[in-house]
Amino acid sequence: MAAKWDILGIGTAAVDDLLLVEEYPRPDSKVDILESTRQGGGQTATAMVAAARQGIRAAFCCHLGFDDLSLFTMRELEKEGVDCSPCVQTTQGNPYHSIIIVDRTHQTRTILHSGGNVCPPADVITPELISRTRYLFIDDNSRGSGIKAARIARSLGIPVIADVEPDPPPEYLEMLPLIDHLVIGRELAAQLSGKNNLPDMATSLCGKNRTCCIVTAGEEGCWYSIHGEPALHAPGFKVSVVDTTGCGDVFHGAYAAALARDEPIAQAVRLANASAAQKATQIGGRLGIPDLVALQRFLCER
């Protein structure tokens, strides 16, 4: 039976209230809010939006409630064409709620968050669910459910793509060996690999048993190793940065989308870099995510 989805994401959803200011406020000061907006956010939820905008059949599994933030989360995802039927709704579920202060002068953002009972119950993660997708995407906040999903995916020959952020929960150590495509930031990569430079981090964390490891480094681009071969550099793209919120999530979603289109890994990494750069030109985690036409036009201009 043909898979229903190209990518199934299991993990984090958030609602982001963004406040754009000229400079981050000093203690006991007042600053003007230049712009305010509410957008959907979260590692996996935003990655699935990025994939869907680039023409991929994406689905999302998360633990949500019946509150306004949960309903907003599902409306925003469904508006983007992300299938939310795998989501579980109970009175205990809820997305993260973030207030994000974006500093226009220094191009930084500060995230204050609360809530976040997003991990779906393990009993909803079944071989029947996982078999409906061509790729599985998980993040570190999927915890035991993500680990179970990854084990099932591996048993079915379904590649596992994962986003692991700094300061992950302890379950991530059990998750790491199950990941075929690991996308990780430079700080955690240094910690896990014990290496001092980015290419060595990527090669060490990839090894012979992982398909690819990508170590992201912001405006420097990223380094990636395939099957433990010497790492290659994919440079970043210069843009006029407004807000870096969600750039990593968009990178992950665009990379997963490219794999689902059967792009070579080198091209998938380039497309992911370009997608993250385009996102950075607008405020919030989702407003600047390009569709495939905009992405190709951006690359033709470089």
Side-chain angles (χ1 to χ4, degrees):
M1 183 180 297
K4 180 176 182 179
W5 308 305
D6 295 310
I7 306 169
L8 168 63
I10 301 175
T12 307
V15 176
D16 296 341
D17 287 320
L18 296 119
L19 306 176
L20 178 65
V21 298
E22 193 63 45
E23 289 188 287
Y24 187 83
R26 298 185 303 275
D28 295 323
S29 67
K30 293 182 180 180
V31 298
D32 290 330
I33 297 173
L34 305 178
E35 184 180 342
S36 64
T37 183
R38 169 170 283 189
Q39 295 183 33
Q43 290 161 263
T44 295
T46 298
M48 294 305 98
V49 170
R53 283 200 191 173
Q54 296 185 11
I56 295 304
R57 298 173 301 165
F60 181 57
C61 179
C62 181
H63 186 195
L64 296 170
F66 304 96
D67 56 291
D68 289 344
L69 295 178
S70 293
L71 297 178
F72 177 85
T73 295
M74 294 187 72
R75 282 197 307 270
E76 290 295 295
L77 288 167
E78 289 168 348
K79 184 172 68 178
E80 298 284 354
V82 177
D83 186 350
C84 292
S85 61
C87 286
V88 178
Q89 286 184 277
T90 75
T91 54
Q92 286 75 46
N94 61 286
Y96 286 94
H97 183 205
S98 301
I99 297 173
I100 303 176
I101 303 173
V102 181
D103 181 327
R104 185 166 71 174
T105 299
H106 301 98
Q107 300 171 355
T108 61
R109 84 279 194 272
T110 302
I111 302 174
L112 314 174
H113 66 79
S114 60
N117 187 16
V118 295
C119 185
D123 60 4
V124 308
I125 308 300
T126 63
E128 181 183 5
L129 174 68
I130 305 303
S131 67
R132 298 170 76 188
T133 189
R134 294 175 54 228
Y135 284 86
L136 175 69
F137 186 100
I138 57 176
D139 66 43
D140 49 281
N141 278 319
S142 61
R143 297 178 179 256
S145 294
I147 293 168
K148 182 180 179 182
R151 291 192 189 282
I152 294 171
R154 293 292 290 268
S155 73
L156 297 174
I158 295 169
V160 180
I161 307 165
D163 169 14
V164 182
E165 291 195 333
D167 300 319
E171 292 93 335
Y172 88 99
L173 291 173
E174 190 176 350
M175 182 182 290
L176 283 176
L178 304 172
I179 299 167
D180 298 294
H181 298 263
L182 175 63
V183 185
I184 189 170
R186 67 195 305 170
E187 294 179 10
L188 185 57
Q191 176 186 326
L192 289 176
S193 67
K195 304 296 183 180
N196 295 319
N197 63 75
L198 294 167
D200 286 349
M201 294 177 201
T203 301
S204 174
L205 291 174
C206 185
K208 300 295 183 184
N209 297 322
R210 203 187 303 282
T211 302
C212 183
C213 176
I214 305 169
V215 178
T216 58
E219 63 183 13
E220 297 177 41
C222 62
W223 291 87
Y224 64 98
S225 170
I226 301 172
H227 294 302
E229 294 295 320
L232 302 171
H233 181 229
F237 293 86
K238 290 186 178 181
V239 295
S240 297
V241 175
V242 172
D243 178 19
T244 59
T245 302
C247 284
D249 306 331
V250 172
F251 182 102
H252 301 130
Y255 176 76
L259 293 183
R261 291 194 304 271
D262 297 321
E263 302 274 9
I265 286 176
Q267 177 69 352
V269 173
R270 183 169 184 261
L271 294 171
N273 266 342
S275 297
Q278 283 188 276
K279 194 252 64 84
T281 63
Q282 298 195 50
I283 190 171
R286 296 189 185 168
L287 189 60
I289 300 174
D291 60 21
L292 198 54
V293 172
L295 178 59
Q296 291 169 342
R297 184 169 58 244
F298 175 86
L299 289 170
C300 285
E301 294 170 352
R302 263 61 189 172

